[in-house]
Amino acid sequence: MDRKKLPIGISDYKLLIEEDYYYVDKTDFIRQMIEEGSLITLLPRPRRFGKTLNLSTLRYFFEKTEGNIYRPLFEEKNITQWKDFDRYQGKYPVIMITLKDCKGETFEDTLYQIKIQMQQEFE
């Protein structure tokens, strides 16, 4: 019997699914966010409680790509049961920037790390 790996420190939804890590399906939060229709959604959570993973899941759900390459990531997930799944999945350009790894000894070092993140997203 093969055991799945624990996703300790993994905050990328695609990696979690493709590498078959343990995953508790919380994709229905996407439907909830859309149906609530808030202008702003805050995700206040303590450290290491899945904020970046939730944002990564949103990215892969909404991001428009050639051939909709992220669609298979949602097979057999709760969100596919939603009547509007096809209306929203893979339909929008997405910009995702995470600053969780932008750490430096000085303000200038941290600012440089932020600059690198912005540059990578631009590319």
Side-chain angles (χ1 to χ4, degrees), residues 99 101-120:
L99 304 179
D101 295 325
C102 295
K103 299 175 180 114
E105 295 293 319
T106 65
F107 174 78
E108 288 76 18
D109 291 343
T110 305
L111 193 58
Y112 179 74
Q113 294 295 320
I114 293 171
K115 177 183 172 185
I116 299 268
Q117 288 293 320
M118 297 294 180
Q119 188 175 29
Q120 287 174 345

Side-chain angles (χ1 to χ4, degrees), residues 30-38 82-84:
I30 299 168
R31 176 196 59 79
Q32 293 170 4
M33 287 181 67
I34 291 170
E35 288 181 351
E36 287 174 11
S38 324
W82 182 36
K83 64 180 175 55
D84 288 332

Side-chain angles (χ1 to χ4, degrees), residues 9-123:
I10 306 294
S11 58
D12 183 273
Y13 177 76
K14 181 175 182 269
L15 178 65
L16 246 150
I17 300 305
E18 290 181 345
E19 298 293 322
D20 201 30
Y21 282 92
Y22 275 111
Y23 174 71
V24 176
D25 185 359
K26 297 187 255 178
T27 56
D28 193 55
F29 85 95
I30 299 168
R31 176 196 59 79
Q32 293 170 4
M33 287 181 67
I34 291 170
E35 288 181 351
E36 287 174 11
S38 324
L39 290 176
I40 297 172
T41 301
L42 296 176
L43 301 171
R45 303 270 192 286
R47 290 184 65 216
R48 316 238 357 120
F49 268 68
K51 295 179 296 291
T52 304
L53 178 58
N54 283 344
L55 291 174
S56 173
T57 305
L58 287 169
R59 172 199 170 196
Y60 290 117
F61 179 79
F62 287 113
E63 191 160 33
K64 183 177 185 173
T65 61
E66 187 76 31
N68 200 358
I69 62 172
Y70 299 134
R71 186 180 185 93
L73 298 175
F74 296 93
E75 288 176 1
E76 300 180 20
K77 301 294 183 271
N78 292 335
I79 192 67
T80 60
Q81 303 303 310
W82 182 36
K83 64 180 175 55
D84 288 332
F85 175 78
D86 289 319
R87 180 177 173 197
Y88 291 98
Q89 198 284 315
K91 304 292 182 187
Y92 301 94
V94 174
I95 297 172
M96 179 178 164
I97 298 169
T98 177
L99 304 179
K100 72 181 186 82
D101 295 325
C102 295
K103 299 175 180 114
E105 295 293 319
T106 65
F107 174 78
E108 288 76 18
D109 291 343
T110 305
L111 193 58
Y112 179 74
Q113 294 295 320
I114 293 171
K115 177 183 172 185
I116 299 268
Q117 288 293 320
M118 297 294 180
Q119 188 175 29
Q120 287 174 345
E121 184 60 30
F122 179 76
E123 290 171 358

